[in-house]
Amino acid sequence: MVLTEIWTSLIMWFFYALIPCLLTGGVAILPAPQNLSVRSTNMKHLLMWSPVIMPGETVYYSVEYQGEYESLYTSHIWIPSSWCSLTEGPECDVTDDITATVPYSLRVRATLGSQSSAWSTLTHPFNRNSTILTPPGMEVTKDGFHLVIELEDLGPQFEFRVAYWRREPGAKEHVKTVSSGGIPLYLVTMEPGAAYCVKAQTFVKAIGRRSAFSQAECVEVQDAQIWPFLLHLFGKITMVFGASPTCVTSGEVLPLALALFAFVGFMLIFVAVPLSVWKMGQLLRYSCCPVVVIPDTLKVTNSPQKLISCRKEEVDACAMTAVLSEELFRTWT
């Protein structure tokens, strides 16, 4: 009898203990999401969990976070996530919620109709300084003889360190800091026939970390491209003298000045060398084969016969004039 009562009590206790776990007003309780984790790459933070499966039903999820300030100064208040209030997928982008480099607690619960599950909390608080930084995507091109790079735009928190060098033994590596991506950046004027290489890495001041360098990419300029380079150079010079001052940045002043001097020097060589060759040819011609010029007084323009005839006619004319003058004198007297 006593044993029967004990078994009855145990069964009733187990039954009443199991009811809150299975029923709420006659309806099965919604299970809480499990396996919470954060995947963070390049300062993009994604909270993920295992979905709650309810056959034939659509389950929604809500996410809340609690930072250091909320934990210490606001009585452990939880703040709803900016983008994940009743979201359908089993993940939430909490990038806009994680605004400081401090530990953040994150929790999620499931909702089905009027039911809501218990909250599931991330096992270990998340700190954004644990994000994985990857090298930026980049495109290396050449504009005439200019080496140009365009970096992937990863957001306002990112800066980039760009290293470039001439591909030859013992070449010096130059490093330039770039404040933003998505804009073509001029690096250096390349020499004809030489190859130049570029690599880049990301840097985030907010967390004091940087990525590894990307794989180096190299480009080469052929000697046959000199004329396109000169045309490009002429266009740059035209821009300097014809455009407003706001069109030319301070970083372009020195390269453009050097380009101007190079263009002027090339034009001087282009004009002076042919002129010098022509002048030297003239000097050699007159030195080796001089041309003798006869004075006009020594030139004989008529034949000797014509000269004798002309002399004879002049003498007869003079004699006739003398006779006429003498007869007129006699008549007068």
Side-chain angles (χ1 to χ4, degrees):
M1 184 66 180
V2 174
L3 184 60
T4 302
E5 291 179 357
I6 292 175
W7 275 107
T8 303
S9 298
L10 288 174
I11 291 171
M12 292 300 294
W13 176 84
F14 180 78
F15 180 77
Y16 284 113
L18 186 63
I19 287 176
C21 299
L22 298 176
L23 299 176
T24 299
V27 180
I29 292 179
L30 197 63
Q34 300 297 318
N35 302 321
L36 275 66
S37 63
V38 176
R39 185 177 66 191
S40 179
T41 304
N42 290 335
M43 301 298 285
K44 301 292 183 183
H45 319 305
L46 192 66
L47 176 65
M48 307 177 69
W49 57 88
S50 297
V52 175
I53 305 298
M54 299 296 292
E57 302 289 347
T58 301
V59 179
Y60 296 92
Y61 306 92
S62 297
V63 175
E64 293 182 349
Y65 66 93
Q66 184 183 90
E68 187 178 57
Y69 179 81
E70 292 79 20
S71 177
L72 296 177
Y73 303 107
T74 59
S75 302
H76 299 275
I77 189 173
W78 288 86
I79 302 174
S81 174
S82 305
W83 303 104
C84 301
S85 177
L86 298 180
T87 183
E88 188 173 338
E91 60 184 28
C92 175
D93 188 348
V94 294
T95 302
D96 293 340
D97 304 318
I98 310 297
T99 57
T101 310
V102 297
Y104 279 80
S105 295
L106 298 165
R107 68 182 188 178
V108 60
R109 72 178 178 183
T111 299
L112 177 61
S114 59
Q115 297 183 69
S116 293
S117 72
W119 289 99
S120 290
T121 305
L122 189 66
T123 304
H124 301 289
F126 169 74
N127 194 318
R128 67 181 185 179
N129 62 9
S130 63
T131 189
I132 299 173
L133 297 179
T134 63
M138 65 177 184
E139 182 180 1
V140 181
T141 57
K142 54 191 176 184
D143 182 7
F145 274 37
H146 290 171
L147 179 62
V148 179
I149 182 175
E150 184 172 348
L151 297 166
E152 177 186 6
D153 187 6
L154 296 175
Q157 300 185 76
F158 283 81
E159 293 184 351
F160 306 92
R161 294 178 74 245
V162 178
Y164 59 95
W165 65 96
R166 180 171 175 170
R167 192 172 63 186
E168 60 182 4
K172 181 180 178 181
E173 186 175 283
H174 304 275
V175 177
K176 180 175 289 189
T177 300
V178 183
S179 59
S180 60
I183 302 173
L185 174 69
Y186 159 82
L187 291 179
V188 69
T189 300
M190 301 184 291
E191 297 181 12
Y196 289 76
C197 299
V198 184
K199 62 182 181 180
Q201 69 175 175
T202 55
F203 175 71
V204 182
K205 284 184 178 180
I207 62 175
R209 290 182 53 215
R210 66 189 66 204
S211 73
F213 272 102
S214 62
Q215 292 292 328
E217 294 187 24
C218 303
V219 294
E220 184 176 357
V221 179
Q222 303 298 330
D223 294 335
Q225 292 180 291
I226 186 66
W227 285 112
F229 168 68
L230 292 176
L231 292 175
H232 174 76
L233 190 60
F234 180 75
K236 285 289 187 181
I237 295 169
T238 303
M239 183 186 70
V240 171
F241 289 102
S244 61
T246 56
C247 295
V248 182
T249 62
S250 58
E252 292 180 330
V253 172
L254 181 58
L256 289 178
L258 294 175
L260 176 61
F261 285 118
F263 179 76
V264 172
F266 175 80
M267 292 306 296
L268 289 176
I269 294 173
F270 187 76
V271 174
V273 170
L275 185 61
S276 300
V277 172
W278 177 81
K279 191 65 177 177
M280 186 63 68
Q282 293 292 323
L283 291 175
L284 292 174
R285 177 184 174 185
Y286 287 119
S287 298
C288 300
C289 304
V291 177
V292 179
V293 180
I294 301 175
D296 293 340
T297 55
L298 299 179
K299 291 182 180 179
V300 178
T301 58
N302 295 316
S303 63
Q305 289 289 2
K306 289 184 178 180
L307 286 175
I308 294 173
S309 300
C310 289
R311 292 296 182 183
K312 181 177 180 181
E313 290 174 356
E314 290 176 0
V315 172
D316 293 342
C318 291
M320 185 176 294
T321 302
V323 171
L324 291 174
S325 300
E326 185 178 350
E327 290 179 353
L328 287 174
F329 179 76
R330 289 177 180 176
T331 305
W332 180 262
T333 55

